[in-house]
Amino acid sequence: MNDEAQFSEADLAPGPEERAASRRFLIDRVAASVAALAAGAWAGGMVALGACAAPFVFRLAPAPFSGDAMSAAFARFDQLALGAAVILLGAEVARTWAAGRQGAGPAARVRRLVAMVMAGCAAYVGLALTPRIAALHRDGVRRGEGALGMELERAHRRAELVGRSEVFLGAGLVVLHVFTLGARRPDQDDDDEAAAPLPPGPR
């Protein structure tokens, strides 16, 4: 018997395409997990800081200490939000590369759009809104008193609106990452799948 016609263990080993598909599968899972954790931590932190801590600090602590304390807390959180935004965008790049043609679906496009909007929110709040609010508090401005007080009131309102938007966007992004995890249409078959041979006999 010819040795070249014999099967060996090497013949059962995965080929280059299968190994590449396995790497893409792993990268997609890791990127989705990291992005879901980042979005969840971001949204949860915003709820804890904005909805739980801030109202009680402003109610119980006297001015200007309450404003200074919350400005410092939000400035620290903005740094975390900017870091989470970088993680989300990096995860989108990794998932888009790993998904290949399957990454062109509507859910994946919406997921990428939500990630970019969240990153824009983090940049706006962290680089423009929070520093302005902190500066007004340092100058002793009180909300609703005078022209600067009205500006401070509007800035706080915008910050609250953006914060609520980040919570909903973050929760939605977690859902989208889970929903697009290995998602495919039922009519999509693997390229490497082959139909079973027909039984012998007349057709």
Side-chain angles (χ1 to χ4, degrees), residues 76-153:
R76 177 66 60 85
F77 181 81
D78 289 339
Q79 296 177 2
L80 300 177
L82 287 170
V86 172
I87 292 174
L88 290 179
L89 295 179
E92 287 301 329
V93 172
R95 292 204 68 187
T96 300
W97 172 83
R101 290 175 297 179
Q102 297 179 8
R109 289 197 294 267
V110 171
R111 189 194 69 221
R112 288 191 286 269
L113 178 61
V114 171
M116 289 187 289
V117 172
M118 285 194 70
C121 290
Y124 170 63
V125 174
L127 302 178
L129 200 53
T130 298
R132 181 55 181 164
I133 292 175
L136 290 172
H137 278 295
R138 284 195 302 269
D139 292 339
V141 178
R142 294 178 177 270
R143 294 177 64 172
E145 297 182 4
L148 291 178
M150 294 304 299
E151 179 184 352
L152 180 59
E153 178 68 23

Side-chain angles (χ1 to χ4, degrees), residues 10-22:
D11 296 322
L12 301 176
E17 294 182 358
E18 293 177 341
R19 288 194 295 269
S22 179

Side-chain angles (χ1 to χ4, degrees), residues 32-70:
S33 301
V34 171
L37 288 173
W42 185 348
M46 180 58 67
V47 171
L49 188 60
C52 298
F56 291 101
V57 171
F58 281 112
R59 186 184 307 166
L60 300 177
F65 304 108
S66 58
D68 293 339
M70 289 311 303

